[in-house]
């Protein structure tokens, strides 16, 4: 048996037959295979080149799965009907039929390697099928992935849904260059506390760490206890060098709040402090004009008014505090204390987007 070989001789390309057993053909073949293998970074061996690689793939399967896992997989492959096999997404269609036919013709599968003798089953497919048999919930998780992606864009770091569903109260914190504001709301959207604190000394000088620690510790001492502390995450661009002093200040503030409020993180590794995307909150309340977020002052003013006029307002201000909150809001109207407005809006958005949306 021979193949055609092409070589350049005397400035012209010429074609002539070469035996498969010749040293030239073997050298070309070995060179191609060597380049292919060195270029690949995958650990998974290929099963396309004969018995030796098939045996290596079988050995790799033995290393991937424990003896107990192999026994569980083989039990399913040897006992499940065609309909039961189709319950696994990767075995729908012709694959499940091929397994049953192979089993009827050759008997039960003795090991995972023998599954690669079934049509449509190569090494990679076999590994995926074995994993899907061991973890049948994978497909269910994938169906929820779009919702998970939205939540990941909204809140960092990632938090288990069970913790979000169980939340009873949060403190929403928004800080700028001169002040820090917070709103304490329970899951009924009742405003338990809402205030702001001046921090005028922080950006003076050279960002002295001890000054930041003193100022922020003083503010935190006034904050109530809550299940989560939610910080506003701004979308300021790092490419604008003129904003670097402000960005540095905001990052220092964020780091300090994470460190001082995450009091139980060292013991249980559970985050109590989260960062929430500012523009996502703006979109939730239709405050965005292009990429710019407008003031939420009028919306907060409407919340205060509705709490008095409506039986079931969107945000509930307790009767013993409503007068105080309205006076506080009125005193800020001339200076537009955006941090105060934004802290309340962020708290409402957290419940409506991250807590209530995760409930069945």
């Amino acid at each position: 048996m021979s193949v055609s070989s092409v070589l350049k001789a005397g400035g012209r390309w010429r074609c002539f037959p070469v035996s498969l057993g010749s040293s030239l053909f073997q050298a070309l073949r070995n060179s191609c295979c060597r380049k292919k293998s060195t270029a690949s970074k995958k650990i998974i061996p290929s099963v396309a080149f004969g018995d030796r690689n098939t045996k290596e793939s079988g050995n790799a399967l033995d290393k991937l799965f424990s003896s107990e896992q192999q026994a569980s997989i083989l039990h399913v492959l040897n006992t499940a009907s065609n309909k039961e096999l189709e319950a696994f997404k990767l075995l729908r269609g012709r694959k499940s039929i091929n397994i049953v036919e192979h089993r009827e013709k050759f008997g039960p599968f003795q090991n995972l390697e023998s599954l690669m003798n079934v049509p449509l089953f190569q090494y990679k497919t076999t590994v995926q099928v074995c994993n899907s048999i061991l973890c049948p919930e994978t497909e269910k998780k994938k169906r929820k992935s779009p919702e998970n992606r939205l939540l990941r864009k909204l809140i960092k770091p990632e938090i288990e849904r069970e913790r979000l569903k169980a939340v009873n109260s949060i403190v929403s914190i928004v800080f700028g260059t001169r002040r820090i504001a917070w709103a304490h709301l329970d899951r009924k959207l009742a405003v338990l506390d809402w205030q702001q604190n001046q921090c005028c000394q922080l950006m003076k000088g050279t960002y002295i760490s001890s000054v930041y620690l003193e100022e922020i510790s003083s503010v935190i001492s006034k904050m109530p206890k809550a299940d989560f502390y939610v910080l506003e995450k701004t979308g300021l661009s790092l490419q604008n060098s003129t904003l670097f002093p402000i960005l540095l200040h905001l990052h220092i503030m964020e780091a300090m709040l994470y460190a001082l409020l995450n009091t139980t993180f060292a013991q249980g590794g559970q985050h109590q402090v989260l960062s929430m995307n500012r523009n996502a909150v703006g979109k939730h309340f239709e405050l965005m004009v292009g990429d710019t977020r407008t003031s939420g002052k009028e919306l907060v003013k409407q919340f205060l008014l509705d709490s008095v006029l409506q039986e079931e307002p969107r945000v509930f201000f307790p009767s013993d505090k409503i007068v105080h909150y309205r006076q506080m809001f009125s005193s800020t109207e001339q200076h537009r204390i955006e941090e105060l407005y934004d802290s309340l809006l962020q708290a409402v958005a957290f419940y409506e987007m991250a807590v209530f949306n995760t409930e069945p």
Side-chain angles (χ1 to χ4, degrees), residues 128-194:
Q128 291 173 339
V129 167
C130 291
N131 281 324
S132 69
I133 292 174
L134 291 173
C135 305
E137 296 298 322
T138 301
E139 183 186 352
K140 186 178 179 181
K141 291 178 181 178
K142 285 185 178 178
R143 285 200 299 266
K144 292 184 178 181
S145 61
E147 187 178 346
N148 289 336
R149 284 197 297 269
L150 290 174
L151 197 58
R152 284 196 294 268
K153 289 180 180 179
L154 179 67
I155 296 172
K156 296 289 179 64
E158 292 184 39
I159 295 295
E160 299 85 355
R161 289 180 174 275
E162 290 72 20
R163 292 187 65 198
L164 288 174
K165 290 178 182 179
V167 66
N168 289 313
S169 73
I170 66 164
V171 173
S172 169
I173 304 170
V174 176
F175 47 87
T177 57
R178 295 186 177 183
R179 62 184 64 85
I180 180 170
W182 65 91
H184 183 205
L185 272 69
D186 64 17
R187 68 181 301 114
K188 295 179 180 179
L189 297 187
V191 182
L192 308 178
D193 187 32
W194 185 33

Side-chain angles (χ1 to χ4, degrees), residues 102-234:
H102 187 277
R103 196 171 65 197
E104 292 174 349
K105 187 175 181 179
F106 299 101
F109 295 97
Q110 299 300 318
N111 49 50
L112 299 185
E113 179 185 352
S114 59
L115 184 58
M116 290 190 292
N117 296 325
V118 179
L120 302 180
F121 283 84
Q122 293 185 351
Y123 175 69
K124 187 175 181 180
T125 305
T126 302
V127 173
Q128 291 173 339
V129 167
C130 291
N131 281 324
S132 69
I133 292 174
L134 291 173
C135 305
E137 296 298 322
T138 301
E139 183 186 352
K140 186 178 179 181
K141 291 178 181 178
K142 285 185 178 178
R143 285 200 299 266
K144 292 184 178 181
S145 61
E147 187 178 346
N148 289 336
R149 284 197 297 269
L150 290 174
L151 197 58
R152 284 196 294 268
K153 289 180 180 179
L154 179 67
I155 296 172
K156 296 289 179 64
E158 292 184 39
I159 295 295
E160 299 85 355
R161 289 180 174 275
E162 290 72 20
R163 292 187 65 198
L164 288 174
K165 290 178 182 179
V167 66
N168 289 313
S169 73
I170 66 164
V171 173
S172 169
I173 304 170
V174 176
F175 47 87
T177 57
R178 295 186 177 183
R179 62 184 64 85
I180 180 170
W182 65 91
H184 183 205
L185 272 69
D186 64 17
R187 68 181 301 114
K188 295 179 180 179
L189 297 187
V191 182
L192 308 178
D193 187 32
W194 185 33
Q195 55 181 296
Q196 55 103 13
N197 202 92
Q198 296 290 332
C199 299
C200 298
Q201 302 300 318
L202 294 180
M203 289 192 67
K204 293 182 178 180
T206 56
Y207 303 95
I208 302 172
S209 300
S210 58
V211 175
Y212 273 89
L213 180 61
E214 291 169 6
E215 287 274 3
I216 297 175
S217 296
S218 175
V219 172
I220 288 176
S221 66
K222 303 173 185 177
M223 290 183 182
K225 300 293 183 183
D227 296 319
F228 288 113
Y229 298 89
V230 184
L231 313 184
E232 182 184 72
K233 189 71 174 180
T234 60

Side-chain angles (χ1 to χ4, degrees), residues 244-260:
F244 180 77
I246 297 175
L247 282 169
L248 178 59
H249 163 75
L250 296 178
H251 281 299
I252 293 174
M253 290 283 289
E254 184 181 39
M256 285 278 187
L257 288 166
Y258 261 88
L260 295 174

Side-chain angles (χ1 to χ4, degrees), residues 9 47 60-61 85 101 143 198 200 256 265 268 270 276 294 303:
V47 295
L61 286 171
L85 288 171
E101 290 180 350
R143 285 200 299 266
Q198 296 290 332
C200 298
M256 285 278 187
F265 183 78
Q270 297 283 350
M276 191 167 183
T294 59
F303 285 164

Side-chain angles (χ1 to χ4, degrees), residues 66-78:
S66 67
S67 57
E68 292 82 3
Q69 289 174 327
Q70 292 182 45
S72 299
I73 296 167
L74 289 172
H75 176 74
V76 172
L77 294 174
N78 289 327

